[in-house]
Amino acid sequence: GTYVSVRTSIDVRAVLEAAVGDDGRVLVHEANRFVSVDQDALAMVVEEALANAKRHGEAGTVVVEATCAQRVLTVTIRNHNREGVPSLSPAEIELMLRPGERPSTVSTMNDGLGLHSIAEAVRRVQGTLNLTAERVVARETTCLHLTLPVDDCALSSWEDDVGADVSGAGSPASFRARSRAATAATAAATRGSERGSERGSERGS
């Protein structure tokens, strides 16, 4: 039940544009476009964030921005909340990201697997996942911030990385398949961890 991180060379802009489609904008500087990263972890987080944005955000307001520096890829996904959907409080955000918690009262990011599980999966690959609520131009805005380690922030082209496999890398179907696979692996690992904790509690009682 342990997720194994594998980094592959990807065109970040193409991958994110395939995921976002017509639902928003993607901002990636040309210098940050090609990186070697765990694409499965990236797909899992981005697809979850976009699904939540569709459920609770205003259509067409999604902005996904990616930058890379010092061997860290940073992806920020923000959207305006739908009218009537309040911003998350700091306490709600903390609860959502706390290991072992699954809040039932949070509406803005009411996720399926649980952001706490995804955040834990990201931590296992030496990344970070944070959530913030902001007020931008008098609008309630939800922002998800992801960082993932990369092998290099300065790949000038696919050809510069001899081992790159780019067939279908930027297609929506490929992105969804990677997201589903990573989500299933994360869920399995989480269930295994929870069972281990339960057994430990039983032995200690």
Side-chain angles (χ1 to χ4, degrees):
T2 302
Y3 176 74
V4 178
S5 177
V6 177
R7 298 178 192 175
T8 55
S9 295
I10 65 168
D11 180 337
V12 177
R13 182 189 298 164
V15 166
L16 293 178
E17 286 179 345
V20 174
D22 297 327
D23 295 325
R25 295 184 296 144
V26 173
L27 306 175
V28 181
H29 191 277
E30 188 67 24
N32 300 149
R33 183 172 173 181
F34 299 99
V35 300
S36 182
V37 69
D38 187 328
Q39 189 180 354
D40 293 342
L42 175 64
M44 176 178 61
V45 174
V46 171
E47 184 145 300
E48 180 74 11
L50 292 176
N52 283 316
K54 285 182 180 180
R55 284 194 292 267
H56 309 294
E58 182 179 325
T61 64
V62 173
V63 177
V64 182
E65 184 174 4
T67 60
C68 190
Q70 298 180 337
R71 298 199 172 193
V72 175
L73 175 68
T74 301
V75 179
T76 301
I77 305 165
R78 61 171 54 88
N79 65 276
H80 292 324
N81 295 358
R82 188 176 299 163
E83 187 173 352
V85 176
S87 287
L88 294 168
S89 69
E92 287 173 323
I93 291 174
E94 180 184 2
L95 184 62
M96 293 182 72
L97 297 176
R98 186 185 303 165
E101 297 289 347
R102 185 182 288 273
S104 58
T105 58
V106 176
S107 60
T108 307
M109 293 288 279
N110 185 18
D111 50 293
L113 177 61
L115 278 180
H116 69 282
S117 297
I118 292 179
E120 178 60 27
V122 170
R123 283 192 288 269
R124 289 174 183 170
V125 297
Q126 289 76 55
T128 64
L129 185 68
N130 292 294
L131 197 62
T132 60
E134 305 170 1
R135 193 167 179 82
V136 179
V137 194
R139 297 297 306 276
E140 303 294 342
T141 302
T142 300
C143 302
L144 186 143
H145 311 273
L146 168 70
T147 68
L148 289 170
V150 301
D151 290 334
D152 198 339
C153 285
L155 295 177
S156 60
S157 70
W158 286 111
E159 291 75 17
D160 287 343
D161 188 30
V162 177
D165 177 11
V166 301
S167 56
S171 71
S174 172
F175 193 88
R176 287 193 295 271
R178 286 182 175 275
S179 174
R180 285 193 296 269
T183 298
T186 298
T190 299
R191 287 194 298 271
S193 177
E194 289 174 349
R195 284 195 295 269
S197 298
E198 289 171 0
R199 286 194 294 268
S201 297
E202 290 172 357
R203 286 194 296 269
S205 60

